[in-house]
Amino acid sequence: MGFSTNGGMVGSSAIVGWVISGGKGGGIKQYYLGGYAPNQVVPNKGNLNVVANSTFITLESNHLYMVFQLQTTTQPLSWIIFATGSIGLFPQAPSFALTKHLDKISQRIDYSKAKLGSSQGDSTSNSSSSSSSQANGNNGSNGSLSSQEDSCGSNLNLNAPLFFDTTKLICIPVWNTQGFILRYYESSPNTWSFILSAPNPNSYIAIGFSPNGGMVGASAIVGWISTNGAGGGMKQYYLAGTTPNMVVPDRGNLVILTNSTLITSQSSILYMVFQLQTNQPLSRVIFAIGPSGTFPSSPSFALSMHQDKFSMTLDYSTGSGSLSENPSMNLKKSHGLLNIVAWGILVIMGAIVARYFKEWDPFWFYFHASVQSLGFIIGIIGVISGLVLNNQLQVDVSLHKALGIIILVLACLQMMALLARPNKASKMRKYWNLYHHNTGTVLIILAIANIFYGIHLGREGNAWKVGYGIVLAILLFIGFLFEINMWSSLEEDDD
């Protein structure tokens, strides 16, 4: 975590902490970022007045917690930089050299309101302006390490004819870690002009417009120029799914003006120009880069899987952006909660009532039937949400999916059995009871196992496992007490 005067890395001071998995070691140090090269990042130096014996770092439940106190006459600098290092690489004695970050973001914070403000990439100039500016204005951000020739603070001089006024473009750094800069404005009624620039990754760069923030259903403009000058191109693609064969070239919902597309490379920077005919472009925007050295080629122009991607919500009127929420993440949590409540709580409660409260006839039956029916309805919604989620994510969860379908089938059989429940005097009643009891027991066991397996697949961490584990333990403990009480009553009756 770094504190910067202008949002850039150079000149900032950072607190860096690490704990090696398995408890093999760790540390926390201040570093001064004198430049971009590793040898310019100096340990045990910096402008932060760290209170003695206030630093502490610990690893709990796979989360790092880094604690420190700063002594300052006013308040800490408002520009804060966050970064993560490369996996498996740690500062080591005696030099404690810091390897280049894997990813980073800078954010402005209002300490008095506990509110985050605008964000930007590395900057070496002082900036107090907003993240939106004219192309020839100054917002003090030049994107990333490799895009210092292109920034919102520099003039845009493309060696190519454009059919709109570039001096009116609104400019914002949109993906700081990859140096993506987006310029746009409504150059005429219902005509929007865009220029996307990024350091040439020797692959494709892409900008997509999504109805919901996700990839599936989005339409994208993709451009590429090989670094050796072997060739380049620019096409629209429709993202019908997450696999490469479902990304269709020359298809999409974007109305691109004829002869408005252009891609060029200047000083190792790709500039992708296009114009869209629309009242206003979709606000959910996706950016992506392809794997190095891989390009779409004729005749199929198939697009290889992206190497990295980023999504944001863009306010075109103000030129401000914010991170997009992933709709799949919300659906994943809803799927988990629905199935936990249905199969992992309500069904168990209904089984407990059916086994231990039969002397309260007919209350136990109506309560049992009502709770199980509610669990069945919620469970159906949970299973459907899981199928939709699986279609969105296109991941292999065959076992989890199969168990969920088996649980649903068993639940359907239970509901059918409820409708075909024999009279108490019927000779079939004891066989029905045996079937109903055993089917319910298998359903509960499979449901509990699949819930924990689903939490594991969803990588929700120990919090979900512990939370449901506590609820399950309470239910089982209640059942255990009722079981003891039932056997005690039977022994008293025998006596």
Side-chain angles (χ1 to χ4, degrees), residues 342-344 347-348 372 375-376 403-404 406-415 436-451:
W343 312 118
V347 169
I348 297 176
Q372 302 299 66
F376 178 70
L403 288 174
I406 292 172
I407 291 167
L408 182 61
V409 170
L410 292 175
C412 291
L413 292 175
Q414 290 289 75
M415 297 302 294
H436 188 60
H437 171 77
N438 290 335
T439 303
T441 301
V442 173
L443 188 156
I444 290 174
I445 293 173
L446 291 179
I448 293 172
N450 207 29
I451 286 170

Side-chain angles (χ1 to χ4, degrees), residues 91-138:
Q92 294 180 353
S95 67
F96 286 99
L98 205 63
T99 56
K100 185 178 178 180
H101 55 266
L102 176 65
D103 200 0
K104 69 175 179 64
I105 187 174
S106 62
Q107 194 85 44
R108 175 166 274 176
I109 184 171
D110 186 333
Y111 292 98
S112 62
K113 299 179 181 178
K115 183 179 179 181
L116 293 176
S118 57
S119 63
Q120 67 176 50
D122 293 340
S123 175
T124 56
S125 62
N126 189 17
S127 171
S128 59
S129 63
S130 67
S131 61
S132 65
S133 67
Q134 304 299 337
N136 60 348
N138 175 27

Side-chain angles (χ1 to χ4, degrees), residues 67 122 263 278 293 367 379 429:
V67 184
D122 293 340
I263 188 162
T278 177
F367 184 87
R429 183 58 179 260

